[in-house]
């Protein structure tokens, strides 16, 4: 009987593990299989055997795409080659978002520039419909000369924004202390190219020069190694500490010592705006996470 019980228990554990692996299998698909065009159909093209996406903006329209599926936790990455030359007034966006007035959102936005000036990487985070958590950086390379990797890593402990593997920013989970954290809504992946010359370049002082149109942003190698959102049941499934959920491994709960050094270098040398340092904007009423250890 003891032997039978051991065999039964082992079989049960294997079945449970298999079920979790089937439910939580990560998505690793290219544009042609995982995304569809939502805006400016005539201004977009999926190329390169489905691996490449081209977004175009001119005076008639911009363009956008989104994933068919939503996710909760994992790693979302994209290779992007930004608009060369005078791109002032344009915004190339790449972000995760749920829907509704209480939506969650994790943003990468690339603000165009006047020729010769650096691009600004604009990051933001919304939790339960509330944003105003902007941090901005100048890149340390020309993002129009070649493709570079932009990754959002999101797990129950923290969110990290990466550029070519270097961390730019971290937002840690302090939900137990009353600070909202995005962990209960599935988010789809969106990308778009649009005209934002009312605010994007020097606060809207520099307008889009349409003589330089069409503006083209190129995206490649989209990967979502993430947990599929299957409704509220995913809140616990995607956060479960099981082998299929690689993002819950303790090594991803905090940056390593080496990554901390990289983050410090990026923020010291390339950060140009931090909402947690803008006392004037918020009249000294700073967001509660600004007083917490984010790293």
């Amino acid at each position: 009987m003891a032997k039978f019980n051991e065999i039964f228990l082992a079989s049960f554990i294997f079945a449970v593990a298999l079920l979790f692996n089937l439910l939580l299998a990560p998505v690793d698909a290219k544009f042609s299989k995982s995304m569809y065009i939502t805006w400016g159909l005539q201004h977009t093209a999926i190329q390169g055997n489905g691996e490449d996406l081209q977004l175009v903006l001119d005076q008639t329209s911009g363009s956008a795409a989104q994933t068919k599926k939503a996710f909760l936790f994992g790693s979302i990455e994209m290779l992007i080659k930004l608009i060369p030359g005078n791109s002032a007034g344009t915004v190339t966006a790449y972000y995760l978002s749920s829907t509704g007035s209480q939506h969650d959102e994790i943003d990468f936005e690339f603000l165009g520039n006047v020729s010769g000036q650096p691009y600004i990487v604009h990051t933001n985070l919304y939790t339960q419909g509330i944003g105003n958590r902007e941090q901005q950086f100048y890149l340390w390379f020309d993002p129009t000369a070649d493709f570079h990797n932009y990754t959002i890593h999101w797990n129950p402990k923290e969110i990290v924004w990466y550029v070519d593997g270097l961390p730019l920013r971290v937002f840690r989970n302090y939900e137990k202390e009353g600070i909202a954290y995005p962990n209960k809504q599935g988010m789809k992946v969106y990308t778009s190219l649009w005209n934002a010359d009312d605010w994007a370049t020097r606060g809207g002082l520099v307008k889009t020069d349409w003589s330089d149109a069409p503006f083209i942003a190129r995206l490649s190698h989209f990967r979502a190694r993430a947990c599929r959102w299957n409704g509220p049941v995913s809140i616990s499934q995607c956060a479960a500490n099981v082998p299929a959920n690689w993002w819950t491994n303790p090594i991803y709960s905090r940056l390593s010592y080496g990554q901390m050094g990289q983050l410090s270098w990026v923020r010291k040398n390339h950060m140009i705006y931090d909402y947690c340092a803008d006392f004037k904007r918020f009249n000294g009423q700073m967001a509660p996470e600004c007083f917490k250890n984010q790293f």
Side-chain angles (χ1 to χ4, degrees):
M1 179 62 72
K3 186 67 174 177
F4 174 80
N5 287 338
E6 289 178 10
I7 294 172
F8 175 79
L9 181 60
S11 300
F12 177 76
I13 292 172
F14 175 79
V16 170
L18 180 61
L19 176 62
F20 267 105
N21 275 278
L22 290 173
L23 287 172
L24 308 177
V27 175
D28 192 359
K30 45 194 177 183
F31 287 111
S32 58
K33 293 183 179 179
S34 59
M35 301 189 83
Y36 65 95
I37 308 304
T38 57
W39 173 44
L41 183 61
Q42 74 282 12
H43 283 65
T44 57
I46 295 177
Q47 304 167 323
N49 196 30
E51 283 283 13
D52 304 318
L53 174 66
Q54 178 176 285
L55 299 177
V56 179
L57 167 67
D58 62 21
Q59 279 185 289
T60 65
S61 178
S63 47
Q66 71 175 59
T67 54
K68 301 171 184 176
K69 305 272 186 190
F71 310 99
L72 182 67
F73 303 138
S75 186
I76 310 296
E77 67 177 274
M78 190 95 74
L79 298 182
I80 303 176
K81 185 177 181 181
L82 294 171
I83 303 163
N86 181 8
S87 57
T90 70
V91 171
T92 304
Y94 154 51
Y95 60 101
L96 285 73
S97 183
S98 59
T99 58
S101 60
Q102 300 294 308
H103 77 289
D104 294 334
E105 184 174 324
I106 307 170
D107 294 346
F108 263 120
E109 292 183 302
F110 306 92
L111 312 186
N113 62 6
V114 178
S115 296
Q117 299 299 313
Y119 257 87
I120 291 176
V121 178
H122 176 96
T123 67
N124 201 0
L125 175 76
Y126 286 76
T127 56
Q128 298 175 15
I130 299 174
N132 296 325
R133 295 184 174 100
E134 300 92 345
Q135 292 184 357
Q136 295 182 339
F137 306 82
Y138 284 139
L139 290 170
W140 49 95
F141 52 83
D142 180 359
T144 72
D146 205 348
F147 288 92
H148 291 268
N149 185 300
Y150 303 91
T151 294
I152 296 169
H153 181 80
W154 169 37
N155 65 35
K157 299 291 187 180
E158 66 180 12
I159 302 163
V160 186
W161 290 251
Y162 289 95
V163 175
D164 288 340
L166 271 65
L168 287 184
R169 175 179 183 176
V170 179
F171 187 87
R172 293 193 60 78
N173 184 351
Y174 287 106
E175 188 175 43
K176 291 182 178 179
E177 300 181 43
I179 299 171
Y181 186 81
N183 57 9
K184 296 178 179 65
Q185 299 185 66
M187 293 196 271
K188 293 184 177 182
V189 184
Y190 298 82
T191 184
S192 60
L193 174 57
W194 50 290
N195 178 38
D197 66 3
D198 57 333
W199 68 273
T201 306
R202 295 183 59 201
L205 295 177
V206 181
K207 301 301 181 182
T208 303
D209 184 350
W210 294 109
S211 67
D212 292 316
F215 302 102
I216 300 175
R218 304 179 189 279
L219 300 88
S220 183
H221 195 78
F222 165 68
R223 293 294 183 266
R225 297 184 298 114
C227 190
R228 292 185 184 93
W229 172 257
N230 293 309
V233 67
S234 296
I235 295 172
S236 59
Q237 288 180 344
C238 295
N241 188 16
V242 297
N245 291 354
W246 60 269
W247 49 85
T248 63
N249 189 301
I251 66 172
Y252 299 111
S253 64
R254 190 177 290 271
L255 296 183
S256 68
Y257 180 80
Q259 289 173 321
M260 288 288 292
Q262 294 171 334
L263 180 75
S264 177
W265 176 83
V266 170
R267 296 175 74 84
K268 179 180 179 180
N269 293 285
H270 299 281
M271 188 175 195
I272 59 174
Y273 179 81
D274 182 3
Y275 74 108
C276 281
D278 196 342
F279 295 92
K280 181 178 180 180
R281 174 186 175 190
F282 298 105
N283 297 315
Q285 302 299 308
M286 312 309 292
E289 65 269 14
C290 295
F291 303 98
K292 303 293 183 181
N293 179 12
Q294 285 298 323
F295 315 127

